Amino acid sequence: IINVLSKNKQACTYYSGEVKYLPNQNETPNDIRLLFLDINLIDNSEHPYKEIKSRLVTVLKRVIPENNHPYVLVYWSRHERDKNIIEEIFEDDLPTRKPISYTSAIKSDFFDFEGNFIAEEDDIQRLIQLPNELLKDHLSYKYLLEWENIIHRSSNITIKEIFDNAPDQ
């Protein structure tokens, strides 16, 4: 997924799910707009509901601060029933970290059982469009994100123009 996002010039941050590599709880909050979340942060085998939920809650507490900006969530899963885990986490355990919208992406459409990315170009385009689908019911947020991207591009152009015209030092 990192390669697909990078190819499409989307900035991303990766967390493996290992607690030692997660942000510290008192650090500056993440600025997450879109979160791709693997339901199973343990390994490629099946695990009991409680074990998966416990790991997800621990990771999400460290990655999504309580005062995070609104964001959308795409979660990877092998099973449609895993939607219940996501709903339960954000209703019962982490209501202050709830996304404004979420959907699933079936893992087997994109990865084989060894974790290798196998998606075809159509699958990749569908994956890239998932956030837009999630935002169609949140137009004001979508417009704010577009505005934020325009400001970012304008800042880049301004910086480039200043340094292109600056005398050598």
Side-chain angles (χ1 to χ4, degrees), residues 145-159:
L145 290 177
E146 289 173 4
W147 175 77
E148 184 178 50
N149 288 333
I150 290 168
I151 296 299
H152 179 76
R153 282 191 297 275
S154 296
S155 297
N156 286 344
I157 291 168
T158 301
I159 289 169

Side-chain angles (χ1 to χ4, degrees), residues 68-84:
N68 194 70
H69 301 288
Y71 70 100
V72 294
L73 172 72
V74 177
Y75 61 92
W76 299 107
S77 176
R78 289 184 183 161
H79 310 288
E80 195 57 40
R81 70 175 182 255
D82 288 339
K83 179 180 181 180
N84 297 332

Side-chain angles (χ1 to χ4, degrees), residues 155-169:
S155 297
N156 286 344
I157 291 168
T158 301
I159 289 169
K160 183 178 180 333
E161 287 176 355
I162 288 170
F163 284 96
D164 281 352
N165 295 320
D168 289 336
Q169 301 195 24

Side-chain angles (χ1 to χ4, degrees), residues 75-158:
Y75 61 92
W76 299 107
S77 176
R78 289 184 183 161
H79 310 288
E80 195 57 40
R81 70 175 182 255
D82 288 339
K83 179 180 181 180
N84 297 332
I85 295 174
I86 295 297
E87 289 175 346
E88 189 175 309
I89 286 172
F90 289 112
E91 290 301 321
D92 300 337
D93 300 291
L94 302 173
T96 60
R97 293 169 168 91
K98 186 175 185 177
I100 61 171
S101 186
Y102 60 87
T103 192
S104 66
I106 303 301
K107 206 178 230 184
S108 61
D109 289 348
F110 301 94
F111 300 95
D112 64 18
F113 286 108
E114 285 79 46
N116 300 312
F117 196 67
I118 59 166
E120 301 294 327
E121 188 61 35
D122 289 347
D123 299 320
I124 293 169
Q125 289 309 312
R126 186 170 45 89
L127 179 64
I128 295 298
Q129 290 305 314
L130 275 176
N132 290 331
E133 289 296 314
L134 288 170
L135 291 173
K136 71 181 178 186
D137 294 330
H138 303 278
L139 290 179
S140 59
Y141 183 63
K142 180 179 178 181
Y143 297 145
L144 284 171
L145 290 177
E146 289 173 4
W147 175 77
E148 184 178 50
N149 288 333
I150 290 168
I151 296 299
H152 179 76
R153 282 191 297 275
S154 296
S155 297
N156 286 344
I157 291 168
T158 301

